Amino acid sequence: MHLTGKHINYYHICHRKLWLFHNGISFQHTHENVADGSLLHQTAYPQRAARYREVQLDGIKIDFYDPQDRVIHEIKRSDKLEHASIAQLQYYLYVLERHGVREPTGLLEYPKLRQTQTVVLTDADRQAIPDWEASIEQLVNRPECPPVINKLLCKQCSYYEFCYVAE
Ligand code: SF4
């Protein structure tokens, strides 16, 4: 099974969200700020377009890859749930390495906050990622949807009403 960046991201946020997403249940545009990275990128960095390539490998799609410096640029509106964005970017680095790219790096960019965060892949990450893949595969193939997590972040989630508002 080929995983997408969203599988990795949601795995690090909520297993229920991962399961719902994988099984085709979606409620976009209710609560979640569906970040359009491309649009944000064009607005924040219009001069950079020529430098980057879009890369599709296995299940992932990297919108802004700089092949010269081997850097993936990921543009975000906010640093909320940053751990999940970092994990997603690490997965992209892992897939690039799997396809022979030598020591790529990632850069999380927050143009609105004027901040950046460099993301690298350590040996510990290289060991952990196959476990993420196995765990995700096992989770999404369960017949039952995992339980709600009752966390503050649920209020920002597109599944909020589905999860908490009784019919
Ligand atoms: S609302 Fe909360 S429990 Fe439901 S999918 Fe989203 S994060 Fe998970």
Side-chain angles (χ1 to χ4, degrees):
M1 180 179 128
H2 282 153
L3 302 182
T4 65
K6 276 191 177 166
H7 282 99
I8 302 294
N9 192 294
Y10 294 171
Y11 174 65
H12 287 86
I13 294 174
C14 169
H15 291 176
R16 180 179 174 90
K17 181 166 180 153
L18 167 67
W19 189 96
L20 290 167
F21 160 71
H22 179 83
N23 288 287
I25 300 163
S26 86
F27 296 91
Q28 283 195 340
H29 309 303
T30 51
H31 282 266
E32 210 156 14
N33 184 5
V34 182
D36 182 346
S38 299
L39 191 60
L40 189 59
H41 193 109
Q42 282 160 22
T43 315
Y45 309 109
Q47 74 286 10
R48 290 206 210 161
R51 194 177 171 89
Y52 296 139
R53 299 284 172 275
E54 182 185 295
V55 176
Q56 297 198 38
L57 276 176
D58 301 339
I60 65 163
K61 179 167 163 289
I62 300 168
D63 291 325
F64 300 102
Y65 177 58
D66 177 347
Q68 205 174 329
D69 294 338
R70 303 190 305 282
V71 178
I72 300 170
H73 293 256
E74 188 77 20
I75 318 298
K76 298 283 180 193
R77 284 179 198 278
S78 87
D79 58 1
K80 266 192 265 170
L81 304 175
E82 188 179 48
H83 70 288
S85 302
I86 290 174
Q88 181 174 347
L89 198 38
Q90 285 176 322
Y91 189 67
Y92 291 168
L93 297 175
Y94 179 82
V95 173
L96 283 183
E97 281 195 356
R98 196 158 68 188
H99 284 267
V101 177
R102 194 171 42 85
E103 294 184 4
T105 56
L107 202 60
L108 272 177
E109 304 188 33
Y110 306 104
K112 293 194 170 172
L113 305 176
R114 299 179 188 277
Q115 287 174 13
T116 58
Q117 156 106 28
T118 302
V119 177
V120 296
L121 206 56
T122 65
D123 283 342
D125 300 321
R126 291 183 186 96
Q127 283 190 346
I129 289 174
D131 293 340
W132 299 354
E133 292 178 310
S135 179
I136 289 171
E137 187 147 9
Q138 198 240 334
L139 271 163
V140 298
N141 286 312
R142 278 190 200 163
E144 300 274 314
C145 180
V148 296
I149 58 172
N150 278 310
K151 288 193 181 170
L152 215 54
L153 63 89
C154 292
K155 293 221 164 133
Q156 304 298 320
C157 176
S158 58
Y159 294 107
Y160 180 75
E161 284 171 24
F162 176 80
C163 290
Y164 295 104
V165 179
E167 294 191 2

Coordinates of all heavy atoms in Angstrom, one line a residue, residues 14 16-17 20 148-149 153-154 157 159-160 163-164, ligand 1:
C14 N -4.4 12.1 14.9 CA -5.6 11.3 15.4 C -5.8 10.1 14.6 O -6.0 10.2 13.4 CB -6.8 12.2 15.4 SG -8.3 11.3 15.7
R16 N -8.3 8.2 14.5 CA -9.7 8.2 14.0 C -9.8 9.0 12.7 O -10.4 8.6 11.7 CB -10.7 8.8 15.0 CG -12.1 8.8 14.6 CD -12.9 9.4 15.7 NE -14.3 9.7 15.4 CZ -15.3 8.8 15.6 NH1 -15.0 7.6 16.0 NH2 -16.5 9.1 15.3
K17 N -9.1 10.1 12.7 CA -9.1 11.0 11.5 C -8.4 10.2 10.3 O -8.8 10.3 9.2 CB -8.3 12.3 11.8 CG -8.2 13.3 10.7 CD -7.7 14.6 11.2 CE -7.6 15.6 10.1 NZ -7.8 17.0 10.5
L20 N -10.9 7.6 9.0 CA -11.9 8.2 8.3 C -11.5 8.7 6.9 O -12.1 8.5 5.9 CB -12.5 9.4 9.0 CG -13.3 9.1 10.3 CD1 -13.6 10.3 11.1 CD2 -14.6 8.4 9.9
V148 N -13.1 8.6 19.4 CA -12.8 10.0 19.4 C -11.7 10.2 20.5 O -11.5 9.5 21.4 CB -14.0 10.9 19.7 CG1 -15.0 10.8 18.6 CG2 -14.6 10.6 21.1
I149 N -10.9 11.3 20.3 CA -9.8 11.5 21.2 C -10.0 12.6 22.2 O -9.2 12.8 23.2 CB -8.5 11.8 20.4 CG1 -8.6 13.1 19.5 CG2 -8.1 10.6 19.6 CD1 -7.3 13.5 18.9
L153 N -7.8 20.1 19.9 CA -7.6 20.2 18.5 C -8.8 19.7 17.7 O -9.0 20.1 16.5 CB -6.3 19.5 18.0 CG -6.3 17.9 18.2 CD1 -6.9 17.2 17.0 CD2 -4.9 17.5 18.4
C154 N -9.7 19.0 18.3 CA -10.9 18.5 17.7 C -11.7 19.6 17.2 O -12.4 19.5 16.1 CB -11.7 17.6 18.6 SG -10.9 16.0 19.0
C157 N -11.0 20.5 13.7 CA -11.0 19.4 12.8 C -12.2 19.4 11.9 O -13.3 19.6 12.3 CB -10.8 18.1 13.6 SG -10.9 16.6 12.5
Y159 N -13.8 16.9 10.9 CA -14.7 15.8 11.3 C -15.4 16.2 12.7 O -16.1 15.3 13.2 CB -13.9 14.5 11.5 CG -13.3 14.0 10.2 CD1 -12.0 14.0 9.9 CD2 -14.2 13.4 9.3 CE1 -11.5 13.5 8.8 CE2 -13.7 12.9 8.1 CZ -12.3 13.0 7.8 OH -11.8 12.5 6.7
Y160 N -15.2 17.4 13.2 CA -15.7 17.7 14.5 C -17.2 17.3 14.7 O -17.6 16.6 15.6 CB -15.5 19.2 14.8 CG -16.0 19.5 16.2 CD1 -15.3 19.2 17.3 CD2 -17.2 20.2 16.3 CE1 -15.8 19.5 18.6 CE2 -17.7 20.6 17.6 CZ -17.0 20.2 18.7 OH -17.4 20.5 20.0
C163 N -17.9 13.7 14.6 CA -17.4 13.0 15.8 C -18.2 13.3 17.0 O -18.4 12.5 17.9 CB -16.0 13.3 16.1 SG -14.9 12.6 14.9
Y164 N -18.7 14.6 17.2 CA -19.2 15.0 18.5 C -20.7 15.4 18.5 O -21.3 15.5 19.5 CB -18.4 16.1 19.1 CG -17.0 15.6 19.4 CD1 -15.9 16.0 18.6 CD2 -16.7 14.8 20.5 CE1 -14.6 15.5 18.8 CE2 -15.5 14.4 20.8 CZ -14.4 14.7 20.0 OH -13.2 14.3 20.3
Ligands
SF4_1 S1 -12.7 15.6 15.6 FE1 -11.1 14.8 17.0 S2 -11.6 12.7 17.3 FE2 -12.7 13.4 15.5 S3 -11.4 12.9 13.8 FE3 -11.0 15.0 14.3 S4 -9.3 14.9 15.7 FE4 -10.1 12.9 15.6

